[in-house]
Amino acid sequence: MTEPTTDQTTDNPFWSPAVARLHPYVPGEQPKTTARLIKLNTNENPYPPSPKAQAVLQDPQLPSHLRLYPDPESTELRTTIAAQFGLQAEQVFVGNGSDEVLAHAFYSFFQRPEPLLFPDITYSFYPVYCELYGIEARTLPLREDFSIAVADYAIDGAGGVIIPNPNAPTGRYLPLAEIEQLLKLHPERVVVIDEAYIDFGGDSAIALIDRYPNLLVVHTLSKSHALAGLRVGYALGQAHLIEGLNRAKNSFNSYPIDGIAQKVATAAIADRTWLVDNCARVIATREDTCAQLNELGFEIIPSTANFIFAKPPKISAEDLFLALRERNIIVRYFNKPRISEYLRISIGTDEEMAALVAACREVL
Ligand SMILES: *Cc1c(COP(=O)(O)O)cnc(C)c1O
């Protein structure tokens, strides 16, 4: 297991008081060896990335490019992303993983006297960025069925809004009409829609960018492009928002995307056919898995992502998590209020999911 990085000694005399106060994000376990292990805990894609992205790495000239600094603006990558969505390159910001893009968005748009609004159950990096940048967080409870109640976000004096769509770790999708309501509630503040999982079945809010100057949509190559190890994410919005992000980025790191990552990501984004096929495959496996777990009596939140959020019958989520771990299957368990009876299970290959279902059947 990863050592928790929180709650360690906070009285180190070399640390600044601000660092001593932090509670850093703890990522899902990345075991040193994945031999014999079925890894369904961090929503990685079970398949290798696009062959066109892989081919870039076979280019014998690639190492010689590393002598030079990369393009600080990632122009080719941004142009390729823009073309996919019918946008201009000035409407695209790229970062070292969407986590870095999100960090710059928090810094650029949410550091205000008013609180930032987000759901009580959501991506657990959001409160970490709030703490890092001294942003007050105001969390709004999801409904009993884990859907987002948009009307609750009608709060005067909000500093901004961020939600993942579909939400993590629930997998629940919020229709675009409701995203539009959110945008209209806070026309003077930025609304970030974190679409890390949108390719697995939802409609993207990118279609709304032209009409809403306060909309920023964030995507990652880590999940649907099977490139979690490359660390590339991007944000899309009107040019004035992208300029705000660039001010933060260029005050922090001019070269967040290395020269290899720029080339691999460009090839991956251009290969739309691979993306569509891969997502269809993952979605088909997800639907099969849901049907089989349903039969075993699991309660499953409807998912539009490459994972499912499921409550096991007869046994606590924690006990099932431990029993699966003994059988070399890792899923994600969150020991947190409201969700401690659920497991988040990433969608693997058909064989991996068959092994998961068989193990659950055995344990139950
Ligand atoms: C995985 C994930 C991210 C981070 O993705 P990276 O690009 O790998 O940093 C951001 N937001 C949500 C909701 C995620 O699940």
Side-chain angles (χ1 to χ4, degrees):
M1 294 289 244
T2 335
E3 289 299 317
T5 53
T6 49
D7 299 325
Q8 288 170 351
T9 168
T10 49
D11 57 2
N12 187 302
F14 296 102
W15 295 355
S16 67
V19 160
R21 278 194 301 269
L22 293 176
H23 300 85
Y25 178 75
V26 184
E29 180 184 359
Q30 290 294 353
K32 295 287 170 288
T33 155
T34 51
R36 291 180 44 248
L37 206 63
I38 298 184
K39 190 173 179 307
L40 307 175
N41 67 331
T42 49
N43 300 342
E44 288 140 329
N45 203 299
Y47 303 107
S50 152
K52 292 183 177 151
Q54 294 186 46
V56 172
L57 295 165
Q58 307 301 324
D59 175 1
Q61 297 305 312
L62 196 60
S64 67
H65 294 307
L66 295 177
R67 190 176 62 79
L68 300 174
Y69 280 106
D71 172 10
E73 318 275 309
S74 299
T75 311
E76 197 191 355
L77 173 56
R78 286 175 38 248
T79 305
T80 304
I81 294 169
Q84 286 296 327
F85 300 111
L87 299 172
Q88 304 300 310
E90 310 82 69
Q91 296 178 293
V92 183
F93 177 84
V94 293
N96 189 259
S98 64
D99 285 339
E100 188 188 75
V101 175
L102 291 169
H104 287 319
F106 275 62
Y107 187 89
S108 305
F109 308 126
F110 298 151
Q111 280 186 302
R112 298 174 174 280
E114 305 90 11
L116 173 67
L117 313 182
F118 54 85
D120 62 339
I121 297 163
T122 195
Y123 187 35
S124 47
F125 226 133
Y126 301 160
V128 175
Y129 294 132
C130 283
E131 185 175 68
L132 179 64
Y133 295 128
I135 298 163
E136 190 194 331
R138 171 134 180 221
T139 57
L140 298 159
L142 296 180
R143 294 193 189 98
E144 228 17 67
D145 67 356
F146 292 146
S147 60
I148 292 175
V150 168
D152 294 354
Y153 289 70
I155 287 173
D156 284 340
V161 179
I162 183 163
I163 59 162
N165 196 33
N167 196 6
T170 66
R172 237 190 210 287
Y173 174 71
L174 189 68
L176 279 194
E178 300 197 48
I179 301 277
E180 258 194 286
Q181 285 176 32
L182 262 183
L183 289 159
K184 285 177 182 159
L185 285 174
H186 300 284
E188 316 267 271
R189 290 292 177 258
V190 173
V191 174
V192 173
I193 309 298
D194 179 355
E195 294 188 335
Y197 303 102
I198 197 69
D199 295 326
F200 299 105
D203 288 327
S204 173
I206 293 170
L208 304 174
I209 284 175
D210 281 348
R211 284 159 45 216
Y212 292 92
N214 58 334
L215 169 62
L216 190 76
V217 179
V218 177
H219 281 194
T220 175
L221 273 67
S222 297
K223 278 84 182 221
S224 57
H225 285 279
L227 287 168
L230 195 69
R231 310 308 303 134
V232 177
Y234 57 92
L236 306 170
Q238 292 189 9
H240 63 109
L241 295 185
I242 303 307
E243 199 184 323
L245 291 171
N246 276 322
R247 291 172 71 90
K249 172 244 174 196
N250 290 323
S251 304
F252 180 75
N253 180 2
S254 310
Y255 306 105
I257 321 285
D258 66 71
I260 295 175
Q262 289 189 29
K263 286 179 193 295
V264 176
T266 301
I269 295 277
D271 194 354
R272 186 89 201 160
T273 312
W274 181 91
L275 176 73
V276 171
D277 290 351
N278 176 270
C279 290
R281 207 168 165 190
V282 171
I283 291 167
T285 306
R286 179 186 72 206
E287 296 310 306
D288 272 0
T289 307
C290 285
Q292 294 179 56
L293 291 180
N294 254 325
E295 251 172 54
L296 291 180
F298 280 75
E299 262 176 53
I300 306 176
I301 306 299
S303 169
T304 318
N306 68 339
F307 60 84
I308 53 178
F309 204 52
K311 182 176 174 178
K314 297 183 235 169
I315 181 175
S316 76
E318 187 172 18
D319 286 345
L320 180 56
F321 164 79
L322 293 170
L324 291 172
R325 190 77 184 73
E326 272 171 26
R327 290 162 176 80
N328 290 317
I329 300 175
I330 332 182
V331 299
R332 193 90 193 257
Y333 169 67
F334 301 90
N335 191 1
K336 289 185 181 172
R338 290 190 75 186
I339 56 170
S340 61
E341 283 315 316
Y342 288 79
L343 293 178
R344 194 194 68 189
I345 305 168
S346 308
I347 302 302
T349 62
D350 286 326
E351 295 71 41
E352 289 173 324
M353 300 321 277
L356 169 91
V357 171
C360 288
R361 188 173 289 126
E362 186 185 305
V363 174
L364 296 169

